[in-house]
Amino acid sequence: MARSDQRVAIVGLGYVGLPLLVEFGRTRNVIGFDLSVQRVVEISKGYDRTGEVEEQYLLAVMDNLTITHNIADLSDANIFIVAVPTPIDESNRPDMTYLLEASRLVGSVLKSGDIVVYESTVYPGATEEDCVSVLSEVSGLKYLEGEDSSIEGYYCGYSPERINPGDRVRRLPDIVKITSGSTPLAASVIDDLYREIIIAGTYRAPSIRVAEAAKVIENVQRDVNIALVNELAIIFNHLGIDTESVLEAAGTKWNFQPFRPGLVGGHCIGIDPYYLKHKAQSVGYHPEIISAVRRLNDSMGSYVVAQLVKAMTRRGIALEGARILVLGLAFKENCPDLRNSRVVDIVAELNEFSCRVDVYDPWVSVQEAEVELGISPVEAPDEQSYDAIVIAVAHREFREMGAESIRAFGKPNHILYDLKYVLAKSEADLRL
């Protein structure tokens, strides 16, 4: 498929899809599709609520974009890039609803010779075992794979997203992109396509399953490393040793990895291991390390609250009715992303102790927090009103406040718990 014949469509315009749309839009006409009418209207006006694409960059390529929620507008495309969420359900099992619905949608406009590329994080085999069956059923077309040189049929590929929300240094073009295709021809076309926008270059995996596996273990590895330092933090707290001081000392060796303890949320590290665990169990293997890591990291909210409760009790601060200020609700610093935020675990635990919890986060949408998490952040904290303050997210606004301004929210006798090492050791009462 020559470049002049390629008509690209991005299906799903969230944290992953919109940056793709803008980068492709710099050099070619491209279709952006999202089921959310509100999202389509906002993007058409140059506004990205995720904060990943600034207005000036979005407006600069607008003439090359067709942004739509109308399925019929996808009919002109022959390369579809699917970038929709792949969350987990309440039982921590993969929820493929969005991915399969997107596959049905694409299948309804799929033509012979078309290519469908998936970017959503999945378990190895999902593209060809789950998505392809939907595409073939809806389109009535043959899936072309291996050395198949049939004239009629469609191709698939997998190129996992590597977006780091809130990162202004490592942007989409600056991160090496893994690519793969169902046939050598498809793999070549897909790799060439991404090379147009990825300055850092691409890496062509030998198969779709290898590309899927490579993506999912990126975050499994990070999950394991964070769990290790979380456990170390718990041990050092029992020993009365400051964890950050230990990590700084150990970090003087060239090969010591600079992981820090904390809550593990978001749409990657806290989700992807469950996808691999699910697949492993489906073939009869129970992953011991991945399971243990998930249990430990998912329990950190409870541990944080237990530490805070002990500190308050030692200070003679009554728990029932105590006012607690939690600074930060997004899953990570300097971004509005609420997906799988584990700050909710701290809020829920404190509510169990009949505390009155205020959450303040200058980055997040109050309406979105209410809808997605059932939490209503305050517009501003009250001065001299809180029995305890928890710095849960290291937003730059909190760093700029400094200890004195943050403590101004507390009563004369209060506890300041710094989970993210925003302050110096001497400035906080507790650190993880």
Side-chain angles (χ1 to χ4, degrees):
M1 186 187 299
R3 186 188 189 282
S4 59
D5 297 326
Q6 295 172 359
R7 297 180 299 280
V8 177
I10 312 296
V11 179
L13 300 179
Y15 282 88
V16 176
L18 185 59
L20 277 171
L21 182 74
V22 170
E23 291 303 326
F24 279 120
R26 296 183 192 279
T27 59
R28 61 162 75 219
N29 293 322
V30 58
I31 302 168
F33 175 89
D34 200 286
L35 287 174
S36 170
V37 176
Q38 181 180 0
R39 180 70 170 155
V40 168
V41 170
E42 288 176 352
I43 293 173
S44 298
K45 294 179 179 179
Y47 172 65
D48 172 26
R49 71 174 73 171
T50 71
E52 289 303 300
V53 180
E54 297 174 12
E55 182 180 17
Q56 64 190 68
Y57 298 116
L58 185 49
L59 293 177
V61 299
M62 196 62 72
D63 289 345
N64 287 342
L65 306 182
T66 299
I67 304 169
T68 182
H69 56 83
N70 187 344
I71 297 175
D73 291 333
L74 293 173
S75 300
D76 291 334
N78 51 25
I79 298 179
F80 302 88
I81 299 178
V82 178
V84 296
T86 44
I88 52 176
D89 63 18
E90 294 181 355
S91 300
N92 293 329
R93 294 174 300 195
D95 181 355
M96 305 279 280
T97 302
Y98 298 113
L99 194 60
L100 297 181
E101 286 182 352
S103 298
R104 292 187 186 94
L105 186 151
V106 171
S108 70
V109 295
L110 201 60
K111 305 172 296 300
S112 184
D114 288 358
I115 299 174
V116 185
V117 184
Y118 290 91
E119 290 223 358
S120 307
T121 303
V122 291
Y123 45 75
T127 298
E128 294 174 295
E129 295 168 11
D130 300 301
C131 299
V132 162
S133 61
V134 173
L135 291 172
S136 297
E137 178 185 358
V138 175
S139 69
L141 296 172
K142 178 184 179 182
Y143 170 53
L144 303 177
E145 58 181 321
E147 299 300 323
D148 195 335
S149 58
S150 302
I151 298 176
E152 297 295 320
Y154 69 94
Y155 307 89
C156 271
Y158 185 76
S159 182
E161 60 90 2
R162 281 179 163 175
I163 296 293
N164 187 27
D167 193 332
R168 292 295 176 265
V169 177
R170 293 174 291 270
R171 309 300 293 264
L172 174 62
D174 307 314
I175 305 172
V176 173
K177 199 85 162 68
I178 296 173
T179 67
S180 63
S182 57
T183 71
L185 173 62
S188 179
V189 172
I190 293 168
D191 194 69
D192 288 344
L193 177 68
Y194 280 107
R195 280 184 178 273
E196 292 181 13
I197 64 171
I198 306 298
I199 297 172
T202 61
Y203 177 88
R204 192 187 305 187
S207 70
I208 288 175
R209 288 169 64 89
V210 167
E212 292 169 326
K215 167 56 182 175
V216 77
I217 70 165
E218 290 176 12
N219 292 315
V220 170
Q221 183 183 66
R222 293 168 67 195
D223 201 29
V224 170
N225 281 315
I226 296 171
L228 173 60
V229 293
N230 274 338
E231 187 162 65
L232 292 175
I234 294 171
I235 293 171
F236 295 143
N237 283 341
H238 280 291
L239 296 176
I241 302 173
D242 181 66
T243 301
E244 177 71 357
S245 297
V246 174
L247 295 175
E248 287 177 350
T252 58
K253 189 178 181 184
W254 77 91
N255 60 353
F256 186 82
Q257 298 298 308
F259 286 91
R260 290 296 184 268
L263 306 175
V264 183
H267 198 62
C268 293
I269 305 178
I271 299 293
D272 297 354
Y274 287 118
Y275 272 74
L276 187 56
K277 178 182 177 180
H278 166 82
K279 187 62 177 181
Q281 290 176 328
S282 74
V283 294
Y285 178 75
H286 179 74
E288 299 291 347
I289 293 176
I290 292 174
S291 300
V293 161
R294 282 284 77 232
R295 286 195 300 272
L296 193 150
N297 282 342
D298 279 348
S299 71
M300 288 307 292
S302 297
Y303 176 76
V304 166
V305 171
Q307 292 297 102
L308 179 61
V309 166
K310 289 177 184 178
M312 292 173 64
T313 301
R314 287 193 293 266
R315 285 279 190 90
I317 301 173
L319 291 175
E320 187 170 355
R323 293 197 67 187
I324 313 292
L325 173 63
V326 176
L327 295 176
L329 183 57
F331 92 86
K332 65 178 293 188
E333 65 274 9
N334 304 326
C335 82
D337 197 345
L338 291 171
R339 292 175 298 175
N340 194 37
S341 169
R342 298 329 312 166
V343 178
V344 298
D345 298 339
I346 294 176
V347 175
E349 285 281 326
L350 289 171
N351 286 334
E352 288 293 318
F353 283 98
S354 299
C355 297
R356 297 162 56 199
V357 184
D358 282 352
V359 178
Y360 172 64
D361 192 318
W363 280 83
V364 307
S365 160
V366 173
Q367 181 180 7
E368 185 177 354
E370 291 173 342
V371 172
E372 298 296 328
L373 304 178
I375 294 175
S376 299
V378 297
E379 292 186 6
D382 297 326
E383 295 278 335
Q384 300 181 335
S385 300
Y386 299 99
D387 298 286
I389 303 167
V390 179
I391 305 175
V393 184
H395 288 319
R396 57 173 166 264
E397 287 84 352
F398 303 150
R399 292 188 183 278
E400 291 169 357
M401 278 184 188
E404 184 177 350
S405 294
I406 291 175
R407 283 196 180 276
F409 298 128
K411 296 176 180 178
N413 181 30
H414 69 271
I415 298 294
L416 176 55
Y417 195 161
D418 182 8
L419 299 187
K420 301 296 293 183
Y421 305 117
V422 169
L423 308 175
K425 176 185 176 182
S426 61
E427 295 177 320
D429 300 306
L430 284 176
R431 298 208 299 176
L432 188 56

